[in-house]
């Protein structure tokens, strides 16, 4: 599976962005998909995940502001980010694994990352 993330950019605090992750390869519908982010000088952290059944899970810091979704026909997973804050600034990575998880090591495939910058 190869993953290609896109949609990052510069946005003002309170604004919105939609990240997309396009996948290639078979069996996309059976994968759990996740979004992680890494801010400068910090460790990579979990943001959101969606299982093969469509069940979702969010980090407390983004709950109520971010929404993860998956389109099996298009082989894409998206992250709608609303009410963005400066602390959301990071490189965002999409990942694919056997099941939905908040733990990075449980994912086998990673995209290249897309930069999100939120200005105050």
């Amino acid at each position: 599976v190869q993953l290609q993330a896109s949609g990052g950019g510069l946005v003002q605090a309170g604004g919105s962005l939609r990240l997309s992750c396009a996948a290639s390869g078979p069996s996309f519908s059976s994968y759990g998909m996740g979004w992680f982010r890494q801010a400068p000088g910090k460790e990579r952290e979990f943001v959101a995940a969606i299982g093969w059944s469509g069940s979702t899970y969010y980090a407390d810091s983004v709950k109520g502001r971010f929404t993860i979704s998956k389109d099996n026909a298009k082989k894409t997973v998206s992250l709608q980010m609303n009410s963005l804050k400066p602390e959301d600034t990071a490189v965002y990575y999409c990942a694919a694994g056997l099941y939905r998880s908040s733990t990075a090591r449980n994912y086998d495939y990673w995209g290249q990352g897309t930069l999100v910058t939120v200005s105050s």
Side-chain angles (χ1 to χ4, degrees):
V1 176
Q2 291 186 324
L3 303 174
Q4 180 76 34
S6 62
L10 174 64
V11 64
Q12 289 187 332
S16 299
L17 276 177
R18 185 176 181 88
L19 305 183
S20 292
C21 178
S24 61
S27 305
F28 174 78
S29 61
S30 63
Y31 281 102
M33 301 294 297
W35 285 97
F36 290 76
R37 66 187 181 186
Q38 187 166 18
K42 295 187 177 181
E43 294 186 353
R44 189 171 300 191
E45 65 173 3
F46 168 74
V47 176
I50 186 166
W52 62 269
S53 66
S55 61
T56 58
Y57 180 59
Y58 297 93
D60 288 343
S61 59
V62 306
K63 200 172 294 182
R65 300 188 297 123
F66 291 10
T67 302
I68 187 171
S69 59
K70 190 169 179 254
D71 187 328
N72 290 325
K74 296 182 178 179
K75 293 187 177 182
T76 59
V77 60
S78 298
L79 186 69
Q80 177 66 42
M81 305 186 295
N82 299 326
S83 303
L84 283 161
K85 305 175 181 179
E87 52 263 44
D88 294 318
T89 295
V91 177
Y92 283 71
Y93 299 89
C94 59
L98 291 179
Y99 53 90
R100 184 195 77 179
S101 174
S102 61
T103 304
R105 66 174 180 269
N106 289 331
Y107 289 90
D108 301 307
Y109 306 99
W110 291 82
Q112 85 289 0
T114 184
L115 177 62
V116 172
T117 304
V118 184
S119 63
S120 57

